[in-house]
Every structure is written in structure tokens, then in C-alpha cells.
Amino acid sequence: MNGGLVPLPGPINAHSHAFHRVLRGRTHEGEAGGAGDFWTWREQMYAAASVLDPQGYEQLATAVFAEMVTAGWTAVGEFHYLHHGPEGAPYPDHDMERAVARAAVTAGIRLVLLDTCYLAGGLDAAGRPLALNPTQRRFSDGDAAGWLQRHQRLAAALASEAAGSSLVSLGAALHSVRAVGPEALAMIGAELDPAEPLHVHLSEQPAENSACEAAYGVSPTGLLARHGLLSSRLSAVHATHLSEQDIAVLGAAGASIVMCPTTEADLADGIGPARRLADAGAVIALGTDQHASIDPFLEMRALEHGERLNTGIRGRFAPTELAAAARAGGLASLGLADNKDQVQVSAASVRTAGSRPAQLPLTATAADVAEVRIAGQVVAQHGLHTRLGDPADLYARFFADHPEFS
């Protein structure tokens, strides 16, 4: 410890939807004091997704990634499905993906762009595939072959966009078993480069489980297993509503489980079985998903607090395990090599004074991050980005330039 500062390995944000940040503080109006659920929130998300273009997306993502960096995150897995224009027509040259890559390089954060396959509008209560709604058309490549072809071309586009930078790499994602059916799962499993990390939203809502059972006779986890997609390169995001069998097979596969506790609380998703998954052999990682909060310390302790609320027992995850979820778990989930990225955290603030250094995951917040170093560069100090300044100013400019979000 130097001058009250404690060095910690840089946290890894394993699940992000950058454009969801426009919804923060805007989704709680309505009848009965803002009553609703994930599905009513989703309609507001679609409204936001329907209007962003590459220029606006780059501006917003730059602000989001700058906020992440100043909060202490040093890498992010961007679960990206805003591929095409608002009517579904492709941009000339991966314009949306290039915008996200430029934003990451500008902010100085490591980016794994999780290029997402999204083919169907969901499953109805009887398990029948639904047509894409007008907004979802911009998410889709039509079929698995179309997604695979675009994904292969995207690798070269990202390499040229981020030339001279080691910050950007490519991964893959399946939106969910609601959006990607069995034939597509089989084709992608067979043809995707096995070196790429593969992410999927899994069992976030009971309705997803019910629809999958109705359609295919198995849980979403069972469907992935049926098509050979369960392995240590798979990351299941949320994994909130799992059976004991689901937990056992995910653990046996050594899959990563990306918990997003502040989002899961904000959307009333539920509390996932993190401790049981870890005990079964799964790797726990953390993400900020829809960015109700962008703070690695809040995600760490929300993981533990969820376990305490569910069980009535303290210390379900030791502070060292929380720190490992924020770092080693994220590296494993995103297929990143270890590095020397580091944050310096104040152990003498009003929040942390008196804390044992090992227990900072339970007391610190992003406000205690004094310095962030990524790829050998100091990119943030005391809440300010060293090149971009205050992320709040970046947001102010974005919202001023985009009155549709005001």
C-alpha cells in the first residue's frame, strides 16, 4: 500500500450493452408508481435501439466506455447486435461495429466485440418461433449462414479499424434460444472458430424456460447441450432460473456464468444460483449489462448480497472470490490473456477508512478509484479520463445532440 492506495488487478466487465445506457433513470414511470417487469422494460429498449446510427452510437459508446474506465473497469465484452440500419439494410462496411471499436480505442479500454447472432423474434407460449418485429430486423442477418459470413468478414474490418492498437478483439454470441433455433445452433457450433469465446443470454426469465420446454422438450441449457455448445469457452449470461440439472451440466462443462447483479435487480429478474454454480465447477464472472450502474465494486458486493438475501447466511463468497469474479472470471469469459492492467484504490476514503485491504470489494465504490492503468497507459485518475475529461460532459453532449432521448 502506497500513500493509502491499494493496487488491484484491473476488473473485467464481461457483459455490456452500451446503448442501454440511455435508459438509465428513464424506465420507472408508469401506472402504479412504475410497476412493470423485464418485458415492459424491453419495449423501451427497442425504442432506443430503433433510432441509433453509427455516428450517434460511437458518441454514446465513447461516453459509456469512458465511464467504465473511470469507474475502474479495464476491459469489456460488448454483446453487440445493432448490426444494420433501422430498416434492416446492411451498412456499407460494418459501420456499427467499427463505431464501437473506435469508441473503445478512444476510451482506452480493452474490447472484446461479441458479435451476436439474432434470427427470430422469440418463441410464443406454445414454443412457435415469432417473426422479427420492425426493430429486431436491424439485429438479424436472416439465417445462421448469413451471420457466419458477416462474422468472418467482420474480423478483417475490426483489424483494419483498430490497426496499431492491441485493445480490440472479436468474439461471438448467440442472443438466446428464443432468438436462435436448433438448426442455427448446430450450424454455428460446427462452423464457428473454436478459439473464439461464445456468449449467450440464458434463462434470464421463467417465460424463456417455459417457451423452450414447449418448443424443444428441454430447458435452454439442455438445448445448448443437445447441440454440443456446452464447454469452457461458453459464457452463460444471467443464468437466473436454472434447474439442479442445468447447474450440474454447466458446472461439469466448466462454463463461465456472467452474473450482472445490479441489472438483474433493476429488471426484477431474480437472484441466480451463483454459489451453487461455482460449487458445481462453473466460473463466475461479472458484467454491467444495461448499466443501471457502472461500478465494479457494486457488482462484486451485489453478488454476495444476493446470496445473503436468498439464504440468510453471510460470507457465501469470500472477498477474494468476489475479486476473482471481477478479474479472473472475466478474463476466462472473454478469452483474454492475463495482463498488467491495474487500478489503484483509496483505502482512506470515508467509505474505506479502516477496511482491511482484502475486504475492499465490500466497502469501496468507483469513487475510490484513484488511477486506472490499461496497456501500460494511465487512462483515468480520480473520476476523470486523462484524454476525454469528465464522462458526464460526454453524456451531456450526446443527449444535447440527440433530443429524441431527452
Side-chain angles (χ1 to χ4, degrees), residues 18 54 57-58 61-62 65 76 78 80 82 94-106 109 111-113 158 161 168:
Y57 199 19
E58 180 176 354
T62 300
F65 294 154
V76 59
E78 181 62 27
H80 170 76
L82 277 179
H94 309 281
D95 294 31
M96 295 295 270
E97 290 77 15
R98 286 178 177 271
V100 177
R102 286 194 299 271
V105 173
T106 299
I109 195 169
L111 169 72
V112 180
L113 185 69
L158 287 183
E161 190 61 57
V168 177

Side-chain angles (χ1 to χ4, degrees), residues 306-375:
E307 285 287 323
R308 293 182 185 189
L309 291 169
N310 239 1
T311 65
I313 300 170
R314 302 178 80 240
R316 296 279 287 172
F317 284 95
T320 53
E321 291 179 295
L322 299 175
R327 172 67 181 182
L331 290 171
S333 172
L334 297 179
L336 292 172
D338 202 359
N339 54 58
K340 295 182 180 180
D341 295 348
Q342 187 182 84
V343 297
Q344 296 278 347
V345 180
S346 172
S349 77
V350 69
R351 290 163 295 278
T352 61
S355 296
R356 293 172 177 164
Q359 295 194 27
L360 286 172
L362 294 171
T363 60
T365 72
D368 299 309
V369 174
E371 182 180 281
V372 182
R373 185 179 293 270
I374 301 173

Side-chain angles (χ1 to χ4, degrees), residues 191-205:
E191 298 188 24
L192 185 68
D193 182 348
E196 289 189 38
L198 179 63
H199 286 223
V200 60
H201 292 132
L202 188 77
S203 293
E204 183 176 4
Q205 290 288 321

Side-chain angles (χ1 to χ4, degrees), residues 13-396:
N13 186 345
H15 188 70
S16 161
H17 300 291
F19 80 91
H20 289 191
R21 171 60 181 81
V22 299
L23 300 175
R24 186 191 292 175
R26 300 174 58 83
T27 62
H28 303 282
E29 298 89 351
E31 297 179 2
D37 58 14
F38 168 85
W39 305 101
T40 54
W41 169 89
R42 190 176 69 157
E43 294 307 311
Q44 297 180 71
M45 181 271 287
Y46 283 154
S50 68
V51 297
L52 281 168
D53 60 13
Q55 182 180 7
Y57 199 19
E58 180 176 354
Q59 188 180 13
L60 176 60
T62 300
V64 173
F65 294 154
E67 183 184 1
M68 285 185 195
V69 165
T70 60
W73 297 108
T74 58
V76 59
E78 181 62 27
F79 198 106
H80 170 76
Y81 50 80
L82 277 179
H83 302 305
H84 307 303
E87 303 302 319
Y91 285 104
D93 186 19
H94 309 281
D95 294 31
M96 295 295 270
E97 290 77 15
R98 286 178 177 271
V100 177
R102 286 194 299 271
V105 173
T106 299
I109 195 169
R110 295 186 192 274
L111 169 72
V112 180
L113 185 69
L114 297 167
D115 182 46
T116 302
C117 183
Y118 197 128
L119 304 177
L123 297 168
D124 67 16
R128 294 181 294 261
L130 297 172
L132 296 164
N133 68 32
T135 299
Q136 290 169 330
R137 285 197 290 267
R138 76 180 305 187
F139 307 162
S140 179
D141 295 293
D143 56 27
W147 177 80
L148 283 162
Q149 291 164 9
R150 185 186 55 75
H151 184 74
Q152 291 163 359
R153 296 192 300 269
L154 177 58
L158 287 183
S160 66
E161 190 61 57
S165 171
S166 62
L167 295 177
V168 177
S169 58
L170 180 63
L174 310 164
H175 180 270
S176 61
V177 300
R178 293 182 289 108
V180 184
E183 291 184 4
L185 293 176
M187 178 179 288
I188 291 169
E191 298 188 24
L192 185 68
D193 182 348
E196 289 189 38
L198 179 63
H199 286 223
V200 60
H201 292 132
L202 188 77
S203 293
E204 183 176 4
Q205 290 288 321
E208 175 188 332
N209 291 349
S210 299
C212 187
E213 290 275 0
Y216 312 121
V218 291
S219 69
T221 299
L223 189 65
L224 297 179
R226 179 181 290 174
H227 295 286
L229 292 170
L230 293 189
S231 72
S232 59
R233 72 110 167 231
L234 182 79
S235 288
V237 181
H238 302 304
T240 309
H241 301 281
L242 301 178
S243 69
E244 290 302 322
Q245 176 65 17
D246 292 337
I247 292 169
V249 297
L250 287 164
S256 293
I257 308 296
V258 186
M259 297 290 186
C260 305
T262 64
T263 285
E264 288 145 12
D266 184 74
L267 297 182
D269 284 343
I271 300 171
R275 181 72 264 172
R276 286 183 289 155
L277 282 158
D279 291 343
V283 176
I284 305 299
L286 294 172
T288 60
D289 193 359
Q290 57 124 352
H291 313 310
S293 168
I294 297 181
D295 185 325
F297 296 98
L298 294 188
E299 300 299 339
M300 281 186 256
R301 62 177 163 272
L303 180 68
E304 166 64 10
H305 288 172
E307 285 287 323
R308 293 182 185 189
L309 291 169
N310 239 1
T311 65
I313 300 170
R314 302 178 80 240
R316 296 279 287 172
F317 284 95
T320 53
E321 291 179 295
L322 299 175
R327 172 67 181 182
L331 290 171
S333 172
L334 297 179
L336 292 172
D338 202 359
N339 54 58
K340 295 182 180 180
D341 295 348
Q342 187 182 84
V343 297
Q344 296 278 347
V345 180
S346 172
S349 77
V350 69
R351 290 163 295 278
T352 61
S355 296
R356 293 172 177 164
Q359 295 194 27
L360 286 172
L362 294 171
T363 60
T365 72
D368 299 309
V369 174
E371 182 180 281
V372 182
R373 185 179 293 270
I374 301 173
Q377 302 294 315
V378 176
V379 293
Q381 291 180 312
H382 302 290
L384 299 178
H385 196 281
T386 54
R387 294 191 305 276
L388 301 175
D390 189 341
D393 294 336
L394 302 179
Y395 285 125

